[in-house]
Amino acid sequence: MELVITIVLVVVLLTCASTSVSSVDRLLVNMTVVRGAAATEAYCLDGSLPAYHIDRGFGAGEHNWLLQFEGGGWCNDIETCAERAHSRRGSTRLMNKLESFSGILSNNASHNPDFYNWNRVKLRYCDGGSFAGDSKFDNGTLVLYFRGQRIWEAIIKDLLPKGLSKANKALLSGCSAGGLASYLHCTRFISYLPNTTVVKCLGDAGFFMDSPDITMNHTQRTFFQHLVTLQGIERNLDKNCTSSISDPKQCIFPQYLLKYITPPVFILNSAYDVYQFHHILVPPSADPHGHWNRCKVNPHACLPDQMDLLQGFRVQMLQAVRAFMFNSTRGGVFINSCFAHCQSESQDTWFASDSPKVYNETIAESIGDWYFGRNVSKKIDRPYPYDTTCHNIIGPGSTNYDLEPVYSYT
């Protein structure tokens, strides 16, 4: 009996110790509200003030800056934006005041070897338009602010006197809708910084495709068109892009914008991005009877014709980045074959012993090589089911797609 009690006590103590270590390792960063944003009416959807979280750099990284746009989808009509305004996606009043920094935001050299000692800033997302809108809805009873562009400018204005104006190096990054924001704001980001600042941009899971769904409807194109119109985004899109395309609204898609972005860009994406799989290739409107439900939950359950469509979607993405892949001398690419969405903010996928790899290089290593010029890093993995490093590994498909060559430039 005493032996049993002793063993139980040891287990409890070890569990507590493990929890304590985990808590110590977890970096929680306080919210900073941008008080000066009211002067330009740079409000969240509900009228609250925008905010960010900053963990200051130190040592050799004291004058380097990493800005990370938070993701979280979009709202493209009054009804969904009104709902969003009453959630943490539309109001800083409803957000957690402490934010966990991990992955590319970690301050631990063993978890984030290239950026751990930089000034790392997470920009909270509360406008529903990838920080790009500039309009307002007011019908007398409901007021919604679509002020993403002003929020972005207000946060930059707040950070400049805190050291951003003297940055030696800067990386503008983001995940999902924030990844799209990093593409949209990359070129103008240069204008806020000294001419001597090394400026580069990273889009994580932000390369949303202008592709037809399984019924050949352009669901995502229509969604983005409504988004651009409602939130007044068109005036803030890249002028070189909008003047060269028949529908200027299309310039919200990175595949059309990419060649007009002047700073070096790194494309981090999965070829089977889960969001795009579920909302661009097979949106609910295209599958009213749920024939794709099992495939969406577990791609191992996909029927051969469904897997063919998934592989075709991957090919469309590779075609969209082909010119960039082969012609850009300063760009970087890491497109793996994981069923994932956002891979830079999670420690497991960013830099860990079992992180996803392409050509035996993790995402963190590949991006670090690109940013610091150690190697030109352009990697595109073979199709599913080739990649065995994914955290969401599923069984082999019924078609032998893994004979396609890997593209790699290092």
Side-chain angles (χ1 to χ4, degrees), residues 127 166 265 285 310 325 357:
D127 61 276
K166 298 179 181 178
V265 175
S285 61
L310 268 172
M325 179 77 181
K357 294 180 180 180

Side-chain angles (χ1 to χ4, degrees), residues 31-306:
M31 176 184 283
T32 299
V33 176
V34 185
R35 303 296 177 187
T40 57
E41 295 188 350
Y43 298 131
C44 299
L45 284 169
D46 71 331
S48 59
L49 292 173
Y52 60 85
H53 302 255
I54 180 171
D55 190 49
R56 299 308 299 254
F58 56 92
E62 182 180 0
H63 299 293
N64 299 333
W65 289 75
L66 167 62
L67 274 60
Q68 176 87 346
F69 289 112
E70 182 181 26
W74 312 270
C75 62
N76 71 341
D77 58 43
I78 297 303
E79 181 180 0
T80 57
C81 288
E83 292 176 359
R84 191 179 180 101
H86 294 288
S87 75
R88 66 183 181 89
R89 295 300 185 191
S91 173
T92 52
R93 299 186 185 104
L94 301 176
M95 292 179 181
N96 293 331
K97 302 306 183 284
L98 290 173
E99 186 70 5
S100 178
F101 275 27
S102 63
I104 196 172
L105 295 174
S106 173
N107 67 342
N108 187 323
S110 63
H111 295 167
N112 185 27
D114 285 312
F115 306 105
Y116 73 98
N117 59 355
W118 286 31
N119 296 282
R120 287 152 292 104
V121 185
K122 186 163 189 176
L123 286 64
R124 298 310 298 266
Y125 183 35
C126 64
D127 61 276
S130 283
F131 295 84
D134 192 4
S135 65
K136 177 182 174 181
F137 174 82
D138 186 351
N139 65 359
T141 57
L142 174 66
V143 179
L144 294 172
Y145 294 92
F146 305 118
R147 295 287 167 76
Q149 179 70 28
R150 299 192 194 190
I151 289 172
W152 158 243
E153 293 171 354
I155 291 176
I156 289 292
K157 184 178 179 180
D158 202 64
L159 291 173
L160 287 172
K162 296 182 178 180
L164 181 61
S165 64
K166 298 179 181 178
N168 292 332
K169 295 180 175 64
L171 176 60
L172 184 64
S173 180
C175 157
S176 191
L180 177 59
S182 68
Y183 289 115
L184 296 176
H185 290 292
C186 183
T187 297
R188 292 181 190 167
F189 185 43
I190 298 176
S191 64
Y192 300 108
L193 302 172
N195 293 333
T196 55
T197 306
V198 177
V199 179
K200 300 187 180 185
C201 303
L202 163 65
D204 177 7
F207 203 90
F208 296 96
M209 293 290 296
D210 179 25
S211 297
D213 62 32
I214 56 172
T215 63
M216 299 309 294
N217 288 320
H218 281 80
T219 303
Q220 189 66 25
R221 180 188 296 177
T222 301
F223 183 93
F224 271 173
Q225 286 175 335
H226 292 163
L227 172 68
V228 170
T229 300
L230 174 68
Q231 296 221 16
I233 292 174
E234 185 174 332
R235 68 177 68 94
N236 295 320
L237 296 175
D238 186 279
K239 299 299 186 292
N240 291 321
C241 181
T242 57
S243 64
S244 65
I245 194 169
S246 58
D247 182 2
K249 296 183 183 67
Q250 297 294 85
C251 290
I252 195 172
F253 284 101
Q255 67 196 85
Y256 305 122
L257 172 64
L258 191 58
K259 63 181 178 181
Y260 300 104
I261 299 176
T262 53
V265 175
F266 194 102
I267 300 171
L268 169 59
N269 237 91
S270 166
Y272 308 96
D273 183 281
V274 173
Y275 178 89
Q276 299 201 51
F277 174 17
H278 291 187
H279 296 277
I280 296 181
L281 180 62
V282 194
S285 61
D287 185 33
H289 301 294
H291 296 307
W292 281 75
N293 286 352
R294 292 181 67 236
C295 179
K296 284 184 172 182
V297 172
N298 176 16
H300 180 40
C302 294
L303 300 174
D305 61 331
Q306 293 174 328

